[in-house]
């Protein structure tokens, strides 16, 4: 789960990490009032969406009067911001953060994340702040410093000093070390997967400040992170994914046209691979789970069909705990109740597969049956492309 920049900054402040003074607002009038209260002569207005790249897209703008702050807030609020990270559909801006502008001397990149390869928390830092890290990694890999943290002892002072020296903050090694250790503690306490400060800056007065913050919390830890779980912003999530999680279905929207309904996460991944292998593109990942009832299957169809890009649906069931006849009932019921007109390819294997196939046969519905996964993927890709014949990859 992601949280907004202003929320991450509140947490950083609570852990003693300096951020620019500011406040989130929902109206232009409030933006002007906050600017007035903050004082100073320059402010920055920042669109709060769960995506970076806002600066280049006009979502982070400087103002030199409270009236100008209000003007920018008015333009941003309600607008759709398209950045490198939002996808072409963009994100609607519902809140903006008004901050006193910082006077930047140098911009750095600093992030902590859980590295799956080493299975440890890794710190990444660079003196090339503000730019996206993938580009630095590609163009100037030597400008990136990484330190792995041993979970037994935690982040050590000498590691912080090494990073400070490597990014040209050797002079400020002591305050940098204090800061990084606080960030590390926050990361651990809140079960983060990622905490990225890009940029983190040295101001003209020599202060180290987190100017931007992106924080991702491990969904599996939300049960013990009640206060953070409440920060979940449903406006930032795909409504289909929100609905699916309400039905205990594991759904992730993708951008292809073959809708997938599968039991088991591994099989769902394999199904997506098979679709791609046959030249198609999956519209989603969907795991209906082990004991999928006809109701659950019907809900799965409902969610998959909310995606207007879907041209064909592939139901792929390998029943161990499940029963294929039960799934088949669900498919038939959903196809009738929801008056589905798209081609539906069904592959059933495992417990009661024959009984399941008979139910599909006898339904009188125009369901396309498949022998195995390969056959199913080929037929679904062909159906999505409006072809009836199958191409051999
Ligand atoms: P992002 O583009 O979504 O990552 O948004 P950031 O919060 O990182 O802001 C983008 C850029 O705007 C930063 O790299 C800074 O160069 C600039 N910026 C943001 N806040 C300030 C500020 O207070 N003062 C100045 N001078 N520049 C700022
Ligand atoms: Mn940034």
């Amino acid at each position: 789960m992601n949280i907004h920049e202003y929320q991450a900054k509140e947490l950083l402040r609570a852990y003693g990490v300096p951020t620019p003074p500011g406040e989130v607002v929902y109206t232009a009038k409030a933006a002007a009032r906050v600017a007035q209260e903050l004082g100073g002569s320059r402010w920055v207005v920042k669109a709060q969406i769960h995506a970076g790249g806002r600066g280049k897209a006009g979502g982070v703008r400087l103002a030199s009067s409270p009236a100008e702050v209000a003007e920018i807030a008015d333009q941003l609020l309600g607008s759709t911001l398209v950045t490198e990270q939002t996808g072409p559909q963009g994100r609607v801006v519902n809140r903006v953060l008004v901050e006193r502008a910082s006077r930047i001397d140098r911009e750095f990149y600093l992030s902590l994340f859980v590295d799956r390869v080493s299975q440890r928390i890794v710190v990444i830092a660079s003196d090339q702040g503000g730019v996206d890290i993938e580009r630095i990694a590609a163009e100037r890999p030597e400008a990136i410093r990484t330190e792995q943290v041993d979970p037994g002892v935690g982040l050590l002072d000498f590691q912080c000093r090494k990073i400070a020296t490597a990014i040209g903050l050797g002079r400020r090694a002591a305050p940098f070390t204090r800061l990084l250790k606080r960030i590390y503690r926050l990361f651990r306490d809140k079960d983060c997967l990622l905490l990225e400060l890009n940029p983190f800056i040295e101001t003209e007065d020599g202060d180290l400040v987190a100017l931007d913050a992106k924080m991702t919390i491990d969904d599996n830890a939300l049960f013990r992170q009640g206060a953070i779980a409440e920060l979940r912003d449903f406006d930032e999530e795909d409504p289909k994914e929100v609905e699916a999680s309400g039905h205990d279905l594991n759904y992730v929207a993708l951008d292809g046209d073959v809708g997938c309904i599968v039991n088991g996460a591994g099989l769902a991944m394999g199904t997506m691979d098979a679709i791609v292998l046959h030249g198609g593109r999956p519209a989603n990942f969907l795991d209906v789970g082990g004991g999928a009832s006809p109701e659950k299957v019907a809900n799965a169809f409902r969610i998959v069909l909310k995606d207007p890009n879907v041209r064909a649906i592939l139901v792929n069931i390998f029943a161990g705990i499940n029963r294929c006849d039960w799934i088949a009932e669900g498919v038939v019921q959903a196809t009738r109740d929801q008056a589905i007109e798209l081609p539906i390819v069904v592959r059933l294997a495992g417990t009661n597969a024959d009984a399941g196939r008979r139910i599909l046969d006898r339904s009188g519905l125009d369901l396309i049956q498949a022998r195995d996964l390969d056959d199913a993927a080929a037929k679904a890709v062909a159906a999505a492309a409006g072809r009836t014949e199958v191409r051999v990859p």
Side-chain angles (χ1 to χ4, degrees):
M1 184 187 102
N2 291 321
I3 60 174
H4 284 292
E5 173 193 5
Y6 76 92
Q7 296 164 332
K9 282 178 164 171
E10 273 167 29
L11 288 166
L12 284 161
R13 278 198 289 277
Y15 275 73
V17 179
T19 69
E23 201 177 304
V24 71
V25 295
Y26 300 80
T27 65
K29 202 169 149 209
R33 175 183 52 77
V34 166
Q36 210 110 47
E37 284 168 10
L38 289 170
S41 57
R42 267 179 17 124
W43 298 267
V44 60
V45 184
K46 310 183 76 176
Q48 297 297 286
I49 54 171
H50 286 183
R54 297 164 302 167
K56 273 184 247 158
V60 175
R61 279 149 66 186
L62 290 160
S64 35
S65 70
E68 199 184 341
V69 167
E71 202 177 302
I72 295 169
D74 189 47
Q75 285 166 19
L76 287 176
L77 287 164
S79 73
T80 301
L81 198 61
V82 180
T83 81
E84 281 171 2
Q85 296 180 16
T86 57
Q89 76 285 0
R91 290 277 174 81
V92 177
V93 180
N94 292 316
R95 22 187 141 178
V96 295
L97 173 61
V98 179
E99 287 183 339
R100 197 147 69 203
S102 305
R103 290 185 304 146
I104 303 173
D105 186 18
R106 290 191 286 168
E107 295 188 70
F108 304 91
Y109 176 94
L110 182 64
S111 75
L112 277 68
F113 76 105
V114 179
D115 176 34
R116 287 168 188 244
V117 177
S118 61
Q119 303 179 6
R120 293 183 170 195
I121 295 171
V122 170
V123 182
I124 295 191
S126 170
D127 59 1
Q128 306 285 301
V131 195
D132 74 83
I133 195 72
E134 288 84 0
R135 210 163 78 218
I136 313 170
E139 290 169 9
R140 279 195 53 212
E142 73 284 357
I144 295 179
R145 175 93 214 180
T146 66
E147 279 292 325
Q148 270 182 23
V149 183
D150 182 330
V153 289
L155 181 66
L156 296 172
D157 286 21
F158 87 92
Q159 294 182 295
C160 302
R161 286 196 295 271
K162 243 162 66 181
I163 295 169
T165 309
I167 63 175
L169 271 175
R171 243 175 351 97
R172 311 280 299 139
F176 177 79
T177 299
R178 275 197 297 278
L179 194 108
L180 185 50
K181 291 182 83 167
R182 288 170 185 166
I183 295 168
Y184 175 75
R185 193 145 46 78
L186 168 64
F187 188 97
R188 288 288 308 264
D189 285 356
K190 304 301 176 194
D191 291 306
C192 293
L193 291 177
L194 171 76
L195 180 50
E196 182 181 66
L197 311 183
N198 185 24
F200 121 81
I201 60 163
E202 182 174 29
T203 66
E204 289 174 3
D205 302 325
D207 297 324
L208 302 178
V209 177
L211 200 69
D212 189 12
K214 174 176 182 179
M215 188 162 166
T216 308
I217 293 97
D218 188 345
D219 289 339
N220 297 310
L222 287 177
F223 74 94
R224 63 180 184 197
Q225 296 292 352
I228 288 184
E230 296 203 349
L231 302 179
R232 185 163 171 193
D233 182 354
F234 291 101
D235 289 341
E236 291 286 332
E237 297 181 27
D238 188 305
K240 298 190 291 302
E241 291 180 15
V242 174
E243 187 182 342
S245 70
H247 292 301
D248 203 19
L249 293 166
N250 198 354
Y251 175 96
V252 180
L254 300 168
D255 52 13
D257 58 8
V258 182
C260 301
I261 297 175
V262 188
N263 72 317
L267 189 60
M269 298 295 280
T271 305
M272 298 196 303
D273 283 347
I275 288 167
V276 173
L277 196 66
H278 282 276
R281 283 161 61 79
N284 64 276
F285 167 98
L286 198 165
D287 169 17
V288 294
S293 61
E295 291 74 39
K296 218 165 168 189
V297 173
N299 285 330
F301 271 100
R302 203 164 292 126
I303 286 156
V304 167
L305 286 166
K306 285 212 167 130
D307 180 348
N309 296 325
V310 171
R311 294 275 162 276
I313 297 175
L314 170 47
V315 181
N316 184 19
I317 303 295
F318 187 94
I321 307 167
N322 246 319
R323 284 167 30 200
C324 285
D325 51 333
W326 228 28
I327 298 279
E329 298 279 10
V331 172
V332 170
Q333 201 177 303
T335 310
R336 286 220 179 94
D337 295 353
Q338 298 174 44
I340 302 173
E341 288 177 356
L342 293 173
I344 301 172
V345 179
V346 188
R347 179 256 178 157
L348 299 173
T351 311
N352 294 357
D354 289 337
R357 282 190 215 105
R358 275 197 298 276
I359 290 169
L360 299 179
D361 279 338
R362 285 185 202 143
S363 69
L365 294 166
D366 194 13
L367 300 163
I368 305 164
Q369 297 214 38
R371 281 187 312 280
D372 52 30
L373 173 53
D374 200 47
D375 186 36
K379 284 175 172 162
V381 171
R387 288 185 273 115
T388 45
E389 87 286 10
V390 168
R391 266 185 215 150
V392 181

